[in-house]
């Protein structure tokens, strides 16, 4: 009983302020309460909407199958104060105050969860008909565009570009996707793995133009560097996202080369009692031996549990997940687990021209990553094998008829 009282004594009366009301921020508040934190929790969000989930924005919300994607969280019963429509402007650690549009907010512990913001296409500021897809308001603006079945040009053949192109084709729009690199998903996957995905666009009736650099965007058209003029009732830009951390300038919070908050293994920042989680932060991975910046939903779900445990402080918890994400594009369910750059071997399971296949990456016979297209069982088993650091039998791994869990080396 004594330990419990001591813990309540440390957390009672402390005020945790969470900057950011997306998945990472909301889950931090939920995890704190689940783990027994009894102090004050305030979550500050820049958008006026009730906190919501982002993945449905490029799917159900965009196509009008759902009005919004608000989290099913009862903030009142959790005793969590929400301050919405309130942008954070700066941080003064010496005073333990967060500056916001509505004035300074004092904190005992601060959690940075401001997420990422989409990279804009230079020269498109103020051009009518140019859209990003990151927020609920973005999705609301795009919904009538799809309903009118405009000719749409998507700039960027990454995950979000493919998902938006999928929705636009489903809505009956003519879609052209332009990609500066020579293949889709160039920043995420090696050429031989991304190559089969290029055919998915044509299969869905979308045109994919690779090695296509945008010269400029004007009302009603996109001009490419080779002189091609693409008619565009709307232009959707999906060329990546960067951590939303410019507001931390001068705060003493150390940032990495991409603007990421440099969190440590416990998700602490360089400033005492300030943590960082989700898309705005990077963390050192002991599993992969490098710093990772993971802009995916699962990271924003898992990281907050580590932050909450470290705020409560009973036993220091390190964060070293197997990164995971999924994407639905052109009728295919694509899942990825792990981190492949350090791999020294790549093994295919199944025919990449077919509807279902998997790619496995090995490093010294250990499974370090896999990409599964239409093979969710491979993903589920593979994720556990990656976590376990299992050694694999390459020949057995290459047999798509053999369950992954049975391909372990003897």
């Amino acid at each position: 009983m004594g330990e419990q009282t001591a813990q309540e004594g440390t957390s009672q009366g402390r005020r945790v302020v969470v900057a950011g009301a997306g998945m990472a921020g909301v889950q931090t508040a939920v995890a704190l309460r689940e783990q027994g934190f009894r102090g004050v929790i305030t979550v500050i969000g820049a958008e006026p909407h009730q906190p919501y989930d982002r993945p449905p924005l490029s799917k159900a919300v965009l196509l009008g199958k759902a009005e919004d994607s608000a989290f099913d969280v009862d903030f009142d019963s959790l005793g969590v104060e929400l301050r919405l429509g309130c942008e954070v402007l700066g941080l003064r650690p010496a005073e333990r105050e967060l500056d916001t549009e509505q004035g300074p907010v004092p904190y005992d512990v601060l959690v940075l969860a401001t997420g990422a913001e989409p990279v804009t296409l230079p020269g498109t500021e103020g051009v009518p008909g140019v859209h990003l897809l990151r927020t609920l308001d973005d999705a609301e603006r795009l919904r009538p565009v799809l309903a009118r079945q405009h000719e749409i040009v998507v700039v960027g053949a990454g995950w979000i570009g493919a998902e938006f192109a999928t929705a636009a084709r489903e809505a009956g729009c003519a879609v052209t996707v332009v990609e500066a690199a020579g293949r889709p998903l160039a920043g995420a996957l090696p050429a031989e793995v991304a190559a089969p995905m290029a055919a998915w666009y044509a299969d869905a009736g979308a045109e994919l133009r690779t090695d296509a650099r945008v010269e400029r965007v004007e009302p009603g058209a996109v001009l490419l560097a080779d002189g091609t003029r693409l008619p565009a009732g709307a232009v959707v830009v999906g060329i990546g996202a960067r951590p939303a951390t410019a507001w931390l300038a001068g705060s003493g919070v150390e940032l990495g080369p991409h603007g990421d908050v440099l969190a440590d293994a416990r998700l602490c920042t360089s400033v005492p009692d300030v943590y960082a989680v989700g898309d705005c932060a990077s963390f050192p991975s002991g599993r992969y031996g490098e710093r990772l910046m993971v802009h995916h939903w699962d990271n924003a779900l898992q990281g907050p549990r580590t932050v909450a445990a470290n705020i409560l402080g009973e036993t220091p918890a390190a964060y070293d997940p197997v990164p995971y994400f999924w994407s639905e594009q052109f009728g295919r369910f694509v899942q990825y687990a792990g981190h492949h750059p350090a791999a020294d071997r790549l093994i295919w399971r199944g025919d990449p021209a077919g509807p279902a296949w998997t790619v496995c990456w090995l490093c010294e016979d250990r499974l370090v990553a896999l990409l599964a297209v239409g093979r969710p069982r491979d993903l589920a088993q593979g994720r556990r094998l990656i976590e376990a650091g299992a050694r694999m039998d390459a020949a057995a791994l290459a047999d798509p008829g053999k369950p992954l869990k049975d391909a372990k080396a003897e």
Side-chain angles (χ1 to χ4, degrees):
M1 189 67 190
E3 278 184 31
Q4 189 178 353
T5 310
Q7 183 205 319
E8 286 186 8
T10 57
S11 68
Q12 196 79 25
R14 288 164 87 207
R15 177 171 187 178
V16 175
V17 173
V18 182
M23 172 64 107
V26 166
Q27 288 300 325
T28 297
V30 170
L32 280 165
R33 290 293 186 235
E34 283 178 346
Q35 293 181 31
F37 181 75
R38 303 281 292 278
V40 175
I41 302 175
T42 302
V43 176
I44 299 173
E47 294 181 56
H49 312 289
Q50 278 294 302
Y52 61 87
D53 206 2
R54 291 194 192 282
L57 296 183
S58 60
K59 305 173 186 76
V61 175
L62 192 59
L63 290 169
K65 295 175 183 175
E67 282 305 307
D68 60 32
S69 55
F71 291 119
D72 185 18
V73 174
D74 187 337
F75 294 98
D76 288 340
S77 70
L78 280 178
V80 171
E81 178 198 7
L82 285 182
R83 294 195 187 177
L84 303 176
C86 178
E87 194 168 342
V88 290
L89 303 174
L91 167 62
R92 289 174 289 116
E95 292 81 16
R96 288 185 177 250
E97 283 189 337
L98 187 67
D99 288 321
T100 78
E101 285 181 321
Q102 298 169 13
V105 178
Y107 68 85
D108 296 309
V109 178
L110 176 65
V111 180
L112 307 176
T114 45
E117 54 200 5
V119 176
T120 57
L121 190 63
T124 58
E125 295 79 5
V127 178
V130 177
H131 300 262
L132 299 165
L133 180 52
R134 182 76 187 179
T135 68
L136 183 59
D137 288 339
D138 292 337
E140 293 293 350
R141 281 190 287 269
L142 275 164
R143 204 150 59 171
V145 173
L146 295 194
R148 289 196 295 270
Q149 298 190 336
H150 274 310
E151 286 180 298
I152 292 176
V153 174
V154 180
V155 182
W159 300 111
I160 194 72
E163 289 183 4
F164 178 80
T166 299
R169 285 299 300 136
E170 198 175 318
C173 301
V175 178
T176 302
V177 180
V178 296
E179 168 58 53
R183 61 186 189 274
L185 294 166
L189 296 172
E192 62 191 297
V193 178
M197 298 176 171
W200 298 357
Y201 288 78
D203 290 348
E207 183 184 357
L208 173 64
R209 287 175 172 255
T210 54
D211 296 308
R213 202 169 57 76
V214 174
E215 186 69 36
R216 69 177 185 276
V217 178
E218 55 189 43
V222 173
L223 276 76
L224 302 183
D226 67 2
T228 305
R229 191 173 191 277
L230 300 173
V235 178
V236 177
V237 178
I239 55 174
R242 62 167 67 94
T245 55
W247 66 279
L248 289 167
S251 67
V253 171
E254 194 178 347
L255 303 180
H258 304 288
D260 46 313
V261 177
L262 295 176
D264 67 11
R266 295 189 298 125
L267 299 182
C268 301
T269 72
S270 58
V271 170
D273 295 315
V274 179
Y275 296 80
V277 67
D279 286 5
C280 71
S282 62
F283 57 90
S285 169
R287 187 190 310 277
Y288 291 108
E290 62 179 288
R291 180 168 284 275
L292 300 183
M293 183 168 64
V294 182
H295 281 188
H296 292 296
W297 185 90
D298 191 66
N299 179 49
L301 175 68
Q302 306 291 347
R305 295 168 190 161
T306 298
V307 169
N310 287 321
I311 289 172
L312 283 158
E314 289 177 289
T315 49
Y319 186 59
D320 197 6
V322 171
Y324 166 73
F325 70 90
W326 80 98
S327 176
E328 293 176 77
Q329 46 184 273
F330 308 118
R332 292 164 175 85
F333 186 42
V334 183
Q335 295 170 283
Y336 177 95
H339 182 65
H340 67 266
D344 52 35
R345 196 167 178 192
L346 184 151
I347 294 174
W348 292 86
R349 282 169 62 78
D351 179 3
W357 46 274
T358 296
V359 174
C360 300
W361 284 271
L362 301 181
C363 184
E364 297 175 355
D365 294 330
R366 294 189 190 277
L367 187 64
V368 293
L370 93 171
L371 176 89
V373 176
R375 290 181 65 102
R377 187 172 290 133
D378 274 6
L379 189 287
Q381 293 178 8
R383 196 175 181 183
R384 287 193 288 270
L385 291 165
I386 294 169
E387 282 170 353
R391 290 192 180 278
M392 308 301 292
D393 177 322
L397 201 59
D399 179 358
K402 185 185 269 294
L404 259 178
K405 61 182 172 53
D406 296 339
K408 285 194 286 188
E410 293 300 323

